[in-house]
Amino acid sequence: MHVTGPLFPEASCALAARFLTRALFDRLAMRKTATGFTLPLAIQSGQKNHDSSIGIYAGDAESYTLFREIFDPVITSYHQITGPVRHTGELALLDTADLDPDGDFIVSSRVRVARNLAAHAFPPHISRQDRQCVEKQILDALKLLPDPLKGCYHPMGELEPEQIPRECLAGRAFPPGDRFQEAAGIIRDFPLSRGIYTSEDKKFMVWINEEDHLRIICMERSGHLVRVFNRLATALEMLGQYLVFAAHPDLGYLNACPTNIGTAMRAGVHIRLPKLEKQPEMMKKLARDHGLQIRGTAGEKTQVTGSVFDISNFRRLGVSETRIIQDLSFGIAALIKKEKKL
Ligand code: ADP
Ligand code: MG
C-alpha cells in the first residue's frame, strides 16, 4: 500500500495523527489480520474527518496486537496510563444512595458496556453474513435471560424510527447520519442485522451491531446510578455465560474504538446544569479534575439542549467498574454542589 501526502488532514488533532509517523505507517501498512483488516482501513475515518478525536478503529481483536505500535500509544494517552497497561475488572454490587433524591438536577442515569464476540470481525470490518450470524447468536443468548431482563427484539429494518419505543432511544440510536461511523465502515448494509432488544420495563436493553456487536445498556429516569449499575452487572454476568467476548489479558474487553476497551464501560447521567452552563470554563475544569467527560444531550458530538449535559467517566481501562461508579458519584456530587452554590 503506497500512500503519498500527509496521512491525516492538517487540522487533525486525532491521537492517531499524533502518533502515526510516516515511517511507522510504512512499516505496518502491508500487514493484514486473519480477517483481512489493515492499517489503511483502520485510519479511514480519521482521514476523512479532521475533527476525529481518536482517528483509528479496530476491525477485529487481532488489530490490537498486529498494529500495537500505533494502538498502544493511543490507548495509554487516552486512558491516561503511566505504568504498564493493566486491565482491572470488578463488578461488585454497590450500596449507595440516590445522587439526587429530590430529582432537582438528574434527569436519568445510564450505564453501558461495549462487547464484541471473539469469533467475528468487529462492525467496521464485518461481512454481511457474519453480521447476521452475530445477531442470531446474541438473540439466542438473550432468550435465555430470566425476568425482569426478559423482553423483545426490535429489528431496525422492520421498524420506522417513530415505531421504536421512545424509552429505548433517549435521543438517537443507530444514527445512519454519523459521518465518523460512516467513514469507518460501520454503517455498511444498514439496517440489516441491526436492532434493539428491550426488557419489558425498558430499563435493560441491548443494541445489536451498532459500533460494536453489543452495547449492553441499563438506564432509568432517576439519579440512582448505583441501582442502574447493579442491574447492568447482573445482566452482564448472565450474558457472559452464553457468549464469548473478545478480550485481551492486559487490554481487557476489545471493541471497535480504542477508547472503549478495558471495562468498556461508560456510566453517566443526564443532568440539568443551567448555571454551570453559563460558566463553561469552570465546568470544564471541574469535569477534568474529576475525570469526567461532557457530551451533548443526544450523544457524542451533539449539542447541549435545555442545559442537559451527559456527564460520564472518561477512562475505561486500568480502573475497575466499581471504582468508575464510585469516582463518578463523587464527581457528580461536586457538580451539583457547585450548581447549587452559583
Ligand atoms: P455511547 O456510544 O457511549 O453509548 P453516545 O454518546 O453514542 O453513547 O449516546 C448514545 C445514546 O444514549 C444517545 O442517544 C444519548 O442521548 C443517550 N444517553 C447517554 N447518556 C444518557 C443518560 N444518562 N440518560 C439518557 N440517555 C442517555
Ligand atoms: Mg456511541
Side-chain angles (χ1 to χ4, degrees), residues 37-194:
F37 197 64
T38 61
L39 185 59
L41 291 173
I43 61 172
Q44 285 182 105
S45 187
Q47 288 179 316
K48 285 198 192 119
N49 295 290
H50 68 89
D51 49 347
S52 289
S53 52
I54 306 298
I56 187 165
Y57 280 96
D60 51 26
E62 194 193 343
S63 305
Y64 283 99
T65 42
L66 195 65
F67 311 118
R68 73 174 313 154
E69 285 161 87
I70 177 59
F71 273 105
D72 278 358
V74 168
I75 289 166
T76 47
S77 172
Y78 177 85
H79 297 277
Q80 300 164 354
I81 294 168
T82 43
V85 180
R86 197 74 78 234
H87 164 62
T88 49
E90 192 199 1
L91 275 168
L93 299 190
L94 290 168
D95 182 18
T96 315
D98 194 319
L99 291 171
D100 179 25
D102 299 327
D104 293 334
F105 305 96
I106 298 180
V107 182
S108 53
S109 303
R110 176 180 186 264
V111 185
R112 63 83 168 152
V113 295
R115 293 287 186 272
N116 282 280
L117 303 189
H120 297 276
F122 297 170
H125 186 56
I126 196 166
S127 69
R128 201 185 261 238
Q129 203 177 6
D130 270 21
R131 196 189 290 112
Q132 200 175 3
C133 174
V134 163
E135 182 190 37
K136 180 168 185 316
Q137 282 181 61
I138 297 170
L139 289 178
D140 286 347
L142 288 169
K143 278 186 202 131
L144 301 172
L145 292 180
D147 274 333
L149 301 172
K150 231 187 228 335
C152 59
Y153 185 53
H154 312 279
M156 283 291 124
E158 292 169 22
L159 287 179
E160 294 300 324
E162 55 275 17
Q163 288 176 285
I164 301 167
R166 285 203 65 75
E167 307 86 320
C168 311
L169 300 181
R172 67 178 185 158
F174 298 91
D178 186 317
R179 65 191 155 87
F180 301 90
Q181 294 194 356
E182 174 95 55
I186 293 168
I187 317 281
R188 279 171 305 119
D189 308 321
F190 187 87
L192 288 184
S193 306
R194 273 78 165 194

